[in-house]
Amino acid sequence: MKKIHFEKHRCKGCGLCVLFCPQKNLRMSEDLNDQGLSYPEEIDPACCTACGLCFRMCPDVAIEVYQQVAKDKKQ
Amino acid sequence: MPNLTRTEVLTDAQTHYCPGCGHGIIHRLVAEVIDELGIREKTIGTAPVGCAVLLYDYFNCDIIECAHGRPPAVATGMKRVQPDKIVFTYQGDGDLAAIGTSETIHAANRGENITVIFVNNAIYGMTGGQMAPTTLTGMFSTTSQDGRGEHGEGPPLKVCELLSSLEGVCYLERTAVSTPKDVISAKRAIKKAFQNQIDGKGFSLVEVLSMCPTDWKLSTAKAVDFVNNEMKTAFPLGVYVDRS
Ligand SMILES: Cc1ncc(C[n+]2csc(CCOP(=O)(O)OP(=O)(O)O)c2C)c(N)n1
Ligand code: SF4
Ligand code: SF4
Ligand code: SF4
Ligand SMILES: [Mg+2]
């Protein structure tokens, strides 16, 4: 299961999640969402630490982070 | 470790805020605090005039719309009539520190047992970027085109500093939402401001320095830099009063 989930149609393309991801795991998409905006996509899901900083900076709650999944995977 | 998901205290509605606007982050923090404290059923919010005017569309709790600047007066009435309810105001800098200065100061001085969330984005956002009381010295706005201070506008009004002389105040903290660390600290402060009300301790206000990329005419990244470099210098973060 993935560690992060994008609700891409909520995204307004502000880029705050990309700016603050400490793993540089995010970039804005070439594709457009329903609003006609770029949205974040993962560059390398394996490097995501489920730290949640993208969730915390997103003004539109367009990202969810499953920290429990990441923890279970480690064990 | 908890999963980080959308709290049910927020409705499903897509907000009308501009991309990168701090209001959305602050809404989430307030909603999460209401959720974590288990007070949704008895919480009443008061919406301002300003960009957050549609607060009632975004929160799954009772929200009353107030005339511009009057949320502390409306909140006072509601809290006094229904002391078992948890009453918060959510106000911009124009609402709280310009047209509503009087209501703010007197509610604080009376020590009303309410929680005030004060969103300081140094501008009148909703109306298109006019100078606010909190606009920084030298800052451009549509009504300070040579930079604030060139034509007798005076320096920015510092709300936490101003209110800190009042004996009625229980808790004042200035926070920001321009880095993940600030967002986490702001949530702690907001939680404390609600807990103070639950414990009957009196007037608590959390100021949140917030991005307005649209009216600042900056990119999202530059707006974050503006808060971190310029606003935090003019408005130092920290706890100004804590009598809790
Ligand atoms: C009595 C009254 N005066 C003036 C206005 C115009 N007005 C609407 S919003 C606003 C200021 C909004 O700025 P702020 O409170 O900082 O909120 P923001 O939009 O920046 O979040 C003003 C002056 C009004 N709606 N009602
Ligand atoms: S959870 Fe952390 S590492 Fe993963 S994408 Fe978000 S910010 Fe980057
Ligand atoms: S922070 Fe949220 S709204 Fe902004 S680009 Fe990322 S997912 Fe989209
Ligand atoms: S004008 Fe400013 S405060 Fe209002 S929604 Fe846009 S960015 Fe946010
Ligand atoms: Mg404002």
Side-chain angles (χ1 to χ4, degrees), chain B residues 23 49-52 68 92-95 99 121 123-127:
Chain B
H23 275 300
V49 170
C51 280
H68 203 7
D93 39 24
D95 194 81
I99 195 168
N121 57 12
I123 201 96
Y124 287 2
M126 182 196 195
T127 43

Side-chain angles (χ1 to χ4, degrees), chain B residues 14 19 33 49 52 78 89-90 109 112 125 139 163 167 172 225:
Chain B
Q14 174 86 300
V33 163
V49 170
M78 282 196 306
T89 78
Y90 184 105
N109 191 51
E112 294 298 339
M139 184 174 164
L163 297 180
E167 286 168 34
L172 294 176
D225 288 345

Side-chain angles (χ1 to χ4, degrees), chain A residues 6-34:
Chain A
F6 299 111
E7 206 60 58
K8 73 176 181 186
H9 298 299
R10 276 189 186 281
C11 172
K12 293 186 188 146
C14 72
L16 281 174
C17 53
V18 175
L19 197 64
F20 285 98
C21 173
Q23 300 297 325
K24 302 276 173 263
N25 176 36
L26 303 178
R27 68 173 166 226
M28 298 310 285
S29 66
E30 293 283 330
D31 283 348
L32 304 178
N33 68 9
D34 284 354

Side-chain angles (χ1 to χ4, degrees), chain A residues 3-4 6 17 20-26 42 47-55 63 65:
Chain A
K3 287 172 269 184
I4 53 177
F6 299 111
C17 53
F20 285 98
C21 173
Q23 300 297 325
K24 302 276 173 263
N25 176 36
L26 303 178
E42 291 191 85
C47 79
C48 172
T49 57
C51 67
L53 300 194
C54 52
F55 169 88
I63 309 174
V65 178

Side-chain angles (χ1 to χ4, degrees), chain A residues 12, chain B residues 16-24 50-52 119 121 123-129 210-216:
Chain A
K12 293 186 188 146
Chain B
H16 70 291
Y17 299 116
C18 308
C21 174
H23 275 300
C51 280
V119 181
N121 57 12
I123 201 96
Y124 287 2
M126 182 196 195
T127 43
S210 177
M211 296 76 78
C212 175
T214 300
D215 285 324
W216 295 350

Side-chain angles (χ1 to χ4, degrees), chain B residues 15-213:
Chain B
T15 70
H16 70 291
Y17 299 116
C18 308
C21 174
H23 275 300
I25 304 176
I26 302 164
H27 282 24
R28 180 178 62 77
L29 298 182
V30 172
E32 285 178 355
V33 163
I34 291 171
D35 198 354
E36 287 168 21
L37 294 172
I39 54 174
R40 187 183 71 82
E41 296 276 331
K42 56 176 180 175
T43 295
I44 307 171
T46 62
V49 170
C51 280
V53 69
L54 301 179
L55 206 67
Y56 46 78
D57 280 341
Y58 306 141
F59 277 77
N60 265 324
C61 65
D62 287 338
I63 303 278
I64 185 167
E65 183 61 54
C66 305
H68 203 7
R70 309 303 181 243
V74 174
T76 296
M78 282 196 306
K79 185 71 186 180
R80 288 189 175 204
V81 171
Q82 303 188 75
D84 55 319
K85 297 287 192 283
I86 303 300
V87 180
F88 75 93
T89 78
Y90 184 105
Q91 302 175 260
D93 39 24
D95 194 81
L96 182 141
I99 195 168
T101 318
S102 166
E103 281 73 10
T104 305
I105 292 177
H106 289 292
N109 191 51
R110 293 191 305 268
E112 294 298 339
N113 189 27
I114 60 173
T115 303
V116 176
I117 311 299
F118 168 38
V119 181
N120 178 358
N121 57 12
I123 201 96
Y124 287 2
M126 182 196 195
T127 43
Q130 294 81 7
M131 194 187 89
T134 46
T135 296
L136 305 190
T137 300
M139 184 174 164
F140 172 90
S141 72
T142 60
T143 50
S144 61
Q145 302 212 357
D146 296 323
R148 181 185 188 151
E150 289 299 315
H151 300 292
E153 298 91 345
L157 198 72
K158 299 181 178 183
V159 169
C160 284
E161 288 84 336
L162 184 74
L163 297 180
S164 63
S165 69
L166 304 178
E167 286 168 34
V169 168
C170 170
Y171 174 57
L172 294 176
E173 180 165 353
R174 183 181 289 126
T175 62
V177 287
S178 49
T179 69
K181 179 184 171 189
D182 289 319
V183 170
I184 291 163
S185 305
K187 182 171 169 184
R188 280 190 194 167
I190 291 169
K191 194 163 190 176
K192 179 158 176 167
F194 275 90
Q195 188 64 51
N196 287 343
Q197 184 181 160
I198 293 168
D199 298 340
K201 289 182 175 160
F203 187 89
S204 297
L205 178 148
V206 178
E207 176 172 347
V208 189
L209 306 183
S210 177
M211 296 76 78
C212 175

